[in-house]
Amino acid sequence: MPTLRWTTVHTPAPDAEAFVMASRLEVRSLSDVPRFFVKSLASWKQVCRAPGAYGASLIAEPLKRTFWTLSAWQDKDALYTYARTEPHKSIMIGLRPTMKDSVFTFWQVPAAGLPIDWSDAKRRLAEQAASA
């Protein structure tokens, strides 16, 4: 399972809050996996230079057609600005037809608690999927 481990982009102030987003993204077929993976790497590069990004991680499970993302941001506006900025904006639009299922969850934590543990993120995603 290819994993891009947690990378700290900007170090937050010790007393700061972080806005966290986790996602589970599933593509329709195995033939969609290579394209999704390449596009996710472009998004990863963008996160690594995005204003307000504290850090991020990615897990790819290609044989399950599933990708997991986890990121922490200065605030909701920083995350949404990233999502609306190229190349992420075009990547999201371009990949929509290949997506089977997507789950997103958001929460806040003290920045001193970064990086977020993947088990916590996956639990939150499972709870979000169950309530949808």
Side-chain angles (χ1 to χ4, degrees), residues 4-130:
L4 295 175
R5 62 183 183 82
W6 184 266
T7 297
T8 299
V9 178
H10 298 104
T11 303
D15 60 341
E17 286 283 307
F19 185 75
V20 179
M21 185 208 70
S23 67
R24 187 183 66 71
L25 309 161
E26 183 181 351
V27 295
R28 293 187 184 278
S29 72
L30 285 175
S31 64
D32 294 322
V33 168
R35 181 170 173 250
F36 188 96
F37 190 71
V38 167
K39 297 293 184 182
S40 68
L41 292 178
S43 290
W44 175 263
K45 282 183 177 179
Q46 182 184 354
V47 168
C48 289
R49 59 181 192 274
Y54 288 152
S57 181
L58 170 76
I59 297 175
E61 297 178 317
L63 297 178
K64 293 181 180 180
R65 306 178 330 272
T66 304
F67 297 82
W68 306 80
T69 71
L70 180 58
S71 58
W73 301 83
Q74 178 180 341
D75 54 31
K76 186 160 103 174
D77 289 340
L79 169 62
Y80 286 14
T81 297
Y82 157 78
R84 290 189 307 263
T85 302
E86 296 298 338
H88 189 270
K89 179 181 175 181
S90 293
I91 290 169
M92 281 191 325
I93 293 167
L95 289 175
R96 268 190 203 131
T98 67
M99 301 310 297
K100 179 178 180 184
D101 188 33
S102 301
V103 179
F104 299 89
T105 191
F106 307 89
W107 70 100
Q108 287 193 247
V109 298
L114 297 177
I116 302 298
D117 183 76
W118 265 109
S119 61
D120 181 32
K122 287 185 173 185
R123 177 188 56 78
R124 289 173 184 268
L125 284 163
E127 289 171 358
Q128 182 68 29

